[in-house]
mmCIF file with all atom_site columns, all heavy atoms in Angstrom:
data_model
loop_
_atom_site.group_PDB
_atom_site.id
_atom_site.type_symbol
_atom_site.label_atom_id
_atom_site.label_alt_id
_atom_site.label_comp_id
_atom_site.label_asym_id
_atom_site.label_entity_id
_atom_site.label_seq_id
_atom_site.pdbx_PDB_ins_code
_atom_site.Cartn_x
_atom_site.Cartn_y
_atom_site.Cartn_z
_atom_site.occupancy
_atom_site.B_iso_or_equiv
_atom_site.pdbx_formal_charge
_atom_site.auth_seq_id
_atom_site.auth_comp_id
_atom_site.auth_asym_id
_atom_site.auth_atom_id
_atom_site.pdbx_PDB_model_num
ATOM 1  N N   . VAL A 1 143 ? 31.917 -21.522 -25.397 1.00 0.00 ? 143 VAL A N   1
ATOM 2  C CA  . VAL A 1 143 ? 32.055 -22.953 -25.606 1.00 0.00 ? 143 VAL A CA  1
ATOM 3  C C   . VAL A 1 143 ? 31.630 -23.273 -27.031 1.00 0.00 ? 143 VAL A C   1
ATOM 4  O O   . VAL A 1 143 ? 30.532 -22.909 -27.451 1.00 0.00 ? 143 VAL A O   1
ATOM 5  C CB  . VAL A 1 143 ? 31.174 -23.739 -24.616 1.00 0.00 ? 143 VAL A CB  1
ATOM 6  C CG1 . VAL A 1 143 ? 31.359 -25.227 -24.826 1.00 0.00 ? 143 VAL A CG1 1
ATOM 7  C CG2 . VAL A 1 143 ? 31.510 -23.344 -23.187 1.00 0.00 ? 143 VAL A CG2 1
ATOM 8  N N   . SER A 1 144 ? 32.513 -23.921 -27.737 1.00 0.00 ? 144 SER A N   1
ATOM 9  C CA  . SER A 1 144 ? 32.176 -24.289 -29.109 1.00 0.00 ? 144 SER A CA  1
ATOM 10 C C   . SER A 1 144 ? 31.730 -25.745 -29.145 1.00 0.00 ? 144 SER A C   1
ATOM 11 O O   . SER A 1 144 ? 32.439 -26.635 -28.672 1.00 0.00 ? 144 SER A O   1
ATOM 12 C CB  . SER A 1 144 ? 33.402 -24.099 -30.000 1.00 0.00 ? 144 SER A CB  1
ATOM 13 O OG  . SER A 1 144 ? 33.206 -24.784 -31.219 1.00 0.00 ? 144 SER A OG  1
ATOM 14 N N   . VAL A 1 145 ? 30.551 -25.974 -29.673 1.00 0.00 ? 145 VAL A N   1
ATOM 15 C CA  . VAL A 1 145 ? 30.037 -27.335 -29.749 1.00 0.00 ? 145 VAL A CA  1
ATOM 16 C C   . VAL A 1 145 ? 30.341 -27.886 -31.133 1.00 0.00 ? 145 VAL A C   1
ATOM 17 O O   . VAL A 1 145 ? 29.735 -27.472 -32.127 1.00 0.00 ? 145 VAL A O   1
ATOM 18 C CB  . VAL A 1 145 ? 28.522 -27.372 -29.476 1.00 0.00 ? 145 VAL A CB  1
ATOM 19 C CG1 . VAL A 1 145 ? 27.999 -28.800 -29.615 1.00 0.00 ? 145 VAL A CG1 1
ATOM 20 C CG2 . VAL A 1 145 ? 28.230 -26.819 -28.096 1.00 0.00 ? 145 VAL A CG2 1
ATOM 21 N N   . ASN A 1 146 ? 31.300 -28.801 -31.172 1.00 0.00 ? 146 ASN A N   1
ATOM 22 C CA  . ASN A 1 146 ? 31.677 -29.442 -32.426 1.00 0.00 ? 146 ASN A CA  1
ATOM 23 C C   . ASN A 1 146 ? 32.022 -28.409 -33.506 1.00 0.00 ? 146 ASN A C   1
ATOM 24 O O   . ASN A 1 146 ? 31.863 -28.665 -34.691 1.00 0.00 ? 146 ASN A O   1
ATOM 25 C CB  . ASN A 1 146 ? 30.544 -30.347 -32.904 1.00 0.00 ? 146 ASN A CB  1
ATOM 26 C CG  . ASN A 1 146 ? 31.019 -31.346 -33.927 1.00 0.00 ? 146 ASN A CG  1
ATOM 27 O OD1 . ASN A 1 146 ? 32.189 -31.710 -33.933 1.00 0.00 ? 146 ASN A OD1 1
ATOM 28 N ND2 . ASN A 1 146 ? 30.139 -31.770 -34.794 1.00 0.00 ? 146 ASN A ND2 1
ATOM 29 N N   . LYS A 1 147 ? 32.451 -27.244 -33.087 1.00 0.00 ? 147 LYS A N   1
ATOM 30 C CA  . LYS A 1 147 ? 32.796 -26.163 -34.025 1.00 0.00 ? 147 LYS A CA  1
ATOM 31 C C   . LYS A 1 147 ? 31.623 -25.767 -34.931 1.00 0.00 ? 147 LYS A C   1
ATOM 32 O O   . LYS A 1 147 ? 31.822 -25.155 -35.982 1.00 0.00 ? 147 LYS A O   1
ATOM 33 C CB  . LYS A 1 147 ? 34.012 -26.558 -34.878 1.00 0.00 ? 147 LYS A CB  1
ATOM 34 C CG  . LYS A 1 147 ? 35.268 -26.654 -34.034 1.00 0.00 ? 147 LYS A CG  1
ATOM 35 C CD  . LYS A 1 147 ? 36.500 -26.922 -34.865 1.00 0.00 ? 147 LYS A CD  1
ATOM 36 C CE  . LYS A 1 147 ? 37.737 -26.972 -33.957 1.00 0.00 ? 147 LYS A CE  1
ATOM 37 N NZ  . LYS A 1 147 ? 38.823 -27.771 -34.526 1.00 0.00 ? 147 LYS A NZ  1
ATOM 38 N N   . GLU A 1 148 ? 30.431 -26.181 -34.549 1.00 0.00 ? 148 GLU A N   1
ATOM 39 C CA  . GLU A 1 148 ? 29.259 -25.855 -35.376 1.00 0.00 ? 148 GLU A CA  1
ATOM 40 C C   . GLU A 1 148 ? 28.597 -24.573 -34.912 1.00 0.00 ? 148 GLU A C   1
ATOM 41 O O   . GLU A 1 148 ? 28.162 -23.760 -35.720 1.00 0.00 ? 148 GLU A O   1
ATOM 42 C CB  . GLU A 1 148 ? 28.245 -26.984 -35.307 1.00 0.00 ? 148 GLU A CB  1
ATOM 43 C CG  . GLU A 1 148 ? 28.674 -28.226 -36.046 1.00 0.00 ? 148 GLU A CG  1
ATOM 44 C CD  . GLU A 1 148 ? 27.669 -29.339 -35.867 1.00 0.00 ? 148 GLU A CD  1
ATOM 45 O OE1 . GLU A 1 148 ? 26.523 -29.043 -35.466 1.00 0.00 ? 148 GLU A OE1 1
ATOM 46 O OE2 . GLU A 1 148 ? 28.036 -30.496 -36.097 1.00 0.00 ? 148 GLU A OE2 1
ATOM 47 N N   . PHE A 1 149 ? 28.486 -24.412 -33.624 1.00 0.00 ? 149 PHE A N   1
ATOM 48 C CA  . PHE A 1 149 ? 27.894 -23.195 -33.096 1.00 0.00 ? 149 PHE A CA  1
ATOM 49 C C   . PHE A 1 149 ? 28.501 -22.942 -31.724 1.00 0.00 ? 149 PHE A C   1
ATOM 50 O O   . PHE A 1 149 ? 29.169 -23.808 -31.152 1.00 0.00 ? 149 PHE A O   1
ATOM 51 C CB  . PHE A 1 149 ? 26.370 -23.295 -33.012 1.00 0.00 ? 149 PHE A CB  1
ATOM 52 C CG  . PHE A 1 149 ? 25.876 -24.353 -32.073 1.00 0.00 ? 149 PHE A CG  1
ATOM 53 C CD1 . PHE A 1 149 ? 25.500 -24.042 -30.776 1.00 0.00 ? 149 PHE A CD1 1
ATOM 54 C CD2 . PHE A 1 149 ? 25.788 -25.678 -32.482 1.00 0.00 ? 149 PHE A CD2 1
ATOM 55 C CE1 . PHE A 1 149 ? 25.040 -25.008 -29.908 1.00 0.00 ? 149 PHE A CE1 1
ATOM 56 C CE2 . PHE A 1 149 ? 25.347 -26.663 -31.624 1.00 0.00 ? 149 PHE A CE2 1
ATOM 57 C CZ  . PHE A 1 149 ? 24.966 -26.326 -30.334 1.00 0.00 ? 149 PHE A CZ  1
ATOM 58 N N   . GLU A 1 150 ? 28.245 -21.752 -31.211 1.00 0.00 ? 150 GLU A N   1
ATOM 59 C CA  . GLU A 1 150 ? 28.842 -21.408 -29.932 1.00 0.00 ? 150 GLU A CA  1
ATOM 60 C C   . GLU A 1 150 ? 27.791 -21.158 -28.872 1.00 0.00 ? 150 GLU A C   1
ATOM 61 O O   . GLU A 1 150 ? 26.648 -20.823 -29.169 1.00 0.00 ? 150 GLU A O   1
ATOM 62 C CB  . GLU A 1 150 ? 29.744 -20.193 -30.089 1.00 0.00 ? 150 GLU A CB  1
ATOM 63 C CG  . GLU A 1 150 ? 30.967 -20.514 -30.917 1.00 0.00 ? 150 GLU A CG  1
ATOM 64 C CD  . GLU A 1 150 ? 32.066 -19.495 -30.700 1.00 0.00 ? 150 GLU A CD  1
ATOM 65 O OE1 . GLU A 1 150 ? 31.766 -18.300 -30.766 1.00 0.00 ? 150 GLU A OE1 1
ATOM 66 O OE2 . GLU A 1 150 ? 33.217 -19.914 -30.466 1.00 0.00 ? 150 GLU A OE2 1
#
Side-chain angles (χ1 to χ4, degrees):
Chain A
V143 181
S144 164
V145 178
N146 198 27
K147 293 185 179 155
E148 288 176 18
F149 63 97
E150 292 199 311

